[in-house]
Amino acid sequence: TQISKMTILWSLNASNCDFGGTLPSSIGKLTQLAQLHLKGNRLSGPIPTQFENLNVLTDLNLDNNTLSGTIPQSLGNMKKLRVLSLANNQLTGPIPRELSGLQDLSECRLVGNSLEGPVPEEICRLDLFQLEVDSNIQCSCCTGDN
């Protein structure tokens, strides 16, 4: 796709633009991208595993779309990520333990999906300012039982 040719792009905000279709895996070629905001569109399908190539990404907001599938374990390789916002999609499965590798993560919004299981203990050990999950998710760090 054409977007992969914007190799020096550092910020992409296309929120609330009524975009539809799947997330192009070629976004993973934008290795200088620090902010990716695509919330409030009609994006569907899985989150591409190629996003792990976004080594300098600090802010990923994909809220309020219809993304499906599981949260890719490879997102745990995005070491600079401070904000991970995947709220109000159709994501399923467990919260990947690999997200605990995001040592700079301060905000994690996963509410409004069909996730299951507990928040992994390793994620509870992160110095999170905000963690939003649905009430069916067991979370020892949310209740203070850690």
Side-chain angles (χ1 to χ4, degrees):
T1 61
Q2 296 295 332
I3 198 162
S4 66
K5 295 180 181 175
M6 299 183 202
T7 55
I8 60 169
L9 187 68
W10 67 272
S11 181
L12 176 59
N13 186 345
S15 297
N16 304 307
C17 289
D18 202 32
F19 289 143
T22 59
L23 282 169
S25 60
S26 58
I27 289 177
K29 294 181 180 178
L30 303 176
T31 56
Q32 299 304 307
L33 200 61
Q35 299 175 341
L36 179 59
H37 293 210
L38 297 173
K39 68 179 181 177
N41 286 293
R42 294 177 295 110
L43 298 170
S44 59
I47 299 169
T49 56
Q50 291 86 347
F51 276 29
E52 76 175 319
N53 297 325
L54 302 174
N55 296 325
V56 297
L57 196 72
T58 61
D59 195 342
L60 177 61
N61 190 328
L62 302 176
D63 288 352
N64 302 315
N65 283 286
T66 56
L67 298 172
S68 58
T70 59
I71 299 172
Q73 295 176 356
S74 59
L75 293 186
N77 296 329
M78 301 167 73
K79 301 298 183 194
K80 304 269 187 198
L81 205 59
R82 286 183 263 180
V83 176
L84 176 61
S85 199
L86 305 175
N88 302 312
N89 281 286
Q90 297 172 2
L91 298 169
T92 58
I95 298 169
R97 174 171 273 105
E98 288 78 6
L99 296 183
S100 66
L102 303 174
Q103 296 298 311
D104 292 337
L105 194 65
S106 62
E107 297 177 35
C108 184
R109 292 186 289 275
L110 305 175
V111 69
N113 287 289
S114 296
L115 300 171
E116 55 195 41
V119 173
E121 277 297 317
E122 295 87 349
I123 292 175
C124 287
R125 292 187 193 113
L126 295 174
D127 190 21
L128 292 172
F129 173 73
Q130 181 180 37
L131 174 62
E132 291 182 13
V133 294
D134 290 306
S135 61
N136 69 308
I137 301 290
Q138 299 134 354
C139 178
S140 64
C141 51
C142 300
T143 61
D145 294 340
N146 56 346

